[in-house]
Amino acid sequence: MATTKDIKNRIKSVKDTQKITNAMFLIASTKLRKAKSELDFTRPYFSMLQGEIKRIFRTVKEVENKYFYPVSGEREFPGSYGYLVITADKGLAGAYNQNVIKEAIRLMSEHENPKLFVVGEYGRHYFTAHNIPIEQSFLYTAQNPTISRARVISNLLLDLFNRRELAKIYIIYTDMQNAVNSQACSTRLLPFHRTQFIVPGTYEKEVKRPFEFVPSVEEVLDNIVPSYVTGFIYSALIDSFCSEQNARMTAMDAANKNAQKLLDELSVQYNHIRQSAITQEITEVSSGAKSMRKKTKGLQGGAKV
C-alpha cells in the first residue's frame, strides 16, 4: 500500500508535468496566432494570381499549356507520380501526424513507382523506419514555414515536372477547417485543371475586349504558374503548421484536464491515508491509555490487600 510520502511525490511529479503541458499549450496558441497572421498578409497576392489565371482562360478558352490538363480532357499520364507529404517536426499533437501519413500511404498505394518528398522530421523518421524510400527530405521547414522555403520546394518539384520525371504531383497536408476541426487531405498540385480557377456560384462577366498577351499567352502562363505553385505550397505549409499547433493545443488541454483529475484523485487518496494514520494513532494512544488505567487499578487493588 502506498504511503503518504509516495503519494506526495506522485502529486509533485504530476504538478511538474502539468506545468510543462500548460507551457506547451500557451506556446502553441502563440505560434498559431502568428502563423494565421502571416498567412493573412500573403493571401491577397496569391488570390490575385488565381484571378489573373482565371481571366486568361476566360479570354483564351482553348489555350494549351504544360501545367494544365489538355483541352481534350485526357486525365492519365504515364510516368512517376510525386507526393509532397507535410508532417510536423515532433509529436505530442494527437493524431495529427498519423492522419497525414495514413492519407499519404493510401494515395501512394494507388500508383506504381511513387516518388516521395517529405517535410517534417516525424514523417522522415516514419518512412525511413518502414523502409519507404524518400526522394527528397526538406529539413527545418515544418516548424518555421516561410515563403522562401516554399519557393525552394516549388522550384525542385517544377524542375522535375518540366523534365517529365514526374507526370503528376500531389500534396498531402492537414487542412484547418475551423478552430475545432482539422482534416488530412490530398490535392493534385500539377497539372492543374481549368475548373480549379472557376469559383462556383460566381457570375462570369462577358469579356468585351480581348486581352493582348506579350509575347504569348503560353509564355504568360509559364511565368505566372510557378508563383502560384509557390503560393499554394506556402499556404499548405502554413495551414499544416496551424493545424499542428491547434492539435497540440487540444492535446495539451486534454493532458492538463487529465492531470487535474489525477491530482484530485491523489488528493483524496492522500487524505484517506492520512486520516487512517491519524485514526490509527488515536486508537493506539487510546488503547495505551486504557491499558495504563487498567494497570494502575490493578496495582492499587493489590496494595489494598
Side-chain angles (χ1 to χ4, degrees):
M1 183 177 178
T3 63
T4 55
K5 182 178 180 181
D6 294 334
I7 297 178
K8 285 177 71 175
N9 290 336
R10 183 86 183 278
I11 289 174
K12 182 178 182 302
S13 176
V14 172
K15 285 183 176 180
D16 291 340
T17 303
Q18 194 177 35
K19 290 178 182 179
I20 296 173
T21 56
N22 187 54
M24 292 183 68
F25 176 88
L26 296 175
I27 292 171
S29 62
T30 302
K31 289 182 176 180
L32 177 61
R33 287 194 300 270
K34 182 181 178 182
K36 281 185 175 180
S37 176
E38 291 177 354
L39 183 60
D40 291 338
F41 283 139
T42 58
R43 194 187 299 275
Y45 171 73
F46 296 107
S47 297
M48 288 296 296
L49 279 180
Q50 184 178 14
E52 292 304 315
I53 296 174
K54 174 184 174 182
R55 184 178 299 180
I56 290 173
F57 286 118
R58 284 171 52 210
T59 306
V60 187
K61 298 183 182 298
E62 302 299 322
V63 61
E64 293 281 6
N65 186 270
K66 60 185 177 182
Y67 296 122
F68 292 82
Y69 278 119
V71 178
S72 60
E74 183 184 357
R75 289 301 186 97
E76 296 301 326
F77 305 106
S80 300
Y81 286 10
Y83 300 90
L84 175 62
V85 182
I86 301 177
T87 64
D89 286 333
K90 55 186 177 182
L92 298 177
Y96 167 80
N97 289 298
Q98 287 300 321
N99 290 338
V100 175
I101 290 172
K102 285 180 182 178
E103 178 65 16
I105 292 175
R106 181 195 68 79
L107 196 62
M108 288 190 298
S109 64
E110 297 178 357
H111 301 98
E112 296 182 359
N113 192 26
K115 291 189 177 182
L116 187 61
F117 303 86
V118 181
V119 173
E121 287 294 305
Y122 192 99
R124 185 171 70 85
H125 286 301
Y126 177 89
F127 291 117
T128 302
H130 289 77
N131 298 319
I132 300 176
I134 299 175
E135 190 74 16
Q136 176 72 41
S137 179
F138 303 99
L139 304 179
Y140 313 117
T141 52
Q143 191 63 25
N144 184 26
T146 61
I147 191 67
S148 60
R149 288 173 175 172
R151 189 172 290 112
V152 171
I153 299 173
S154 173
N155 290 341
L156 175 63
L157 295 178
L158 284 170
D159 181 58
L160 294 174
F161 184 81
N162 291 333
R163 293 188 310 198
R164 301 185 182 277
E165 294 184 22
L166 294 177
K168 287 185 181 181
I169 300 175
Y170 289 86
I171 181 169
I172 299 101
Y173 65 104
T174 306
D175 179 28
M176 186 175 175
Q177 300 171 340
N178 51 53
V180 179
N181 297 322
S182 297
Q183 183 177 3
C185 60
S186 56
T187 302
R188 188 187 64 255
L189 185 60
L190 287 172
F192 292 115
H193 195 278
R194 289 160 176 76
T195 56
Q196 290 181 244
F197 299 93
I198 299 176
V199 181
T202 58
Y203 173 71
E204 295 292 334
K205 295 181 180 179
E206 183 182 353
V207 179
K208 297 181 179 179
R209 286 188 176 182
F211 295 95
E212 293 183 4
F213 301 97
V214 179
S216 66
V217 64
E218 291 80 8
E219 289 289 336
V220 172
L221 282 174
D222 286 345
N223 281 276
I224 291 180
V225 169
S227 296
Y228 182 76
V229 171
T230 299
F232 196 103
I233 293 175
Y234 177 66
S235 177
L237 288 171
I238 292 289
D239 206 2
S240 295
F241 184 71
C242 290
S243 299
E244 176 196 348
Q245 302 310 318
N246 189 56
R248 184 163 289 115
M249 286 172 60
T250 303
M252 293 303 104
D253 183 54
N256 282 334
K257 291 178 180 178
N258 290 336
Q260 189 58 51
K261 182 179 178 181
L262 184 58
L263 285 174
D264 294 339
E265 294 174 354
L266 288 172
S267 296
V268 171
Q269 186 179 356
Y270 175 79
N271 290 333
H272 283 171
I273 293 177
R274 187 178 64 173
Q275 189 64 43
S276 298
I278 293 172
T279 302
Q280 184 177 355
E281 289 179 3
I282 293 174
T283 302
E284 290 175 353
V285 171
S286 177
S287 299
K290 186 176 181 180
S291 177
M292 289 297 294
R293 284 197 298 269
K294 287 182 179 181
K295 186 176 180 180
T296 302
K297 287 182 181 181
L299 292 174
Q300 289 176 352
K304 288 179 181 180
V305 174

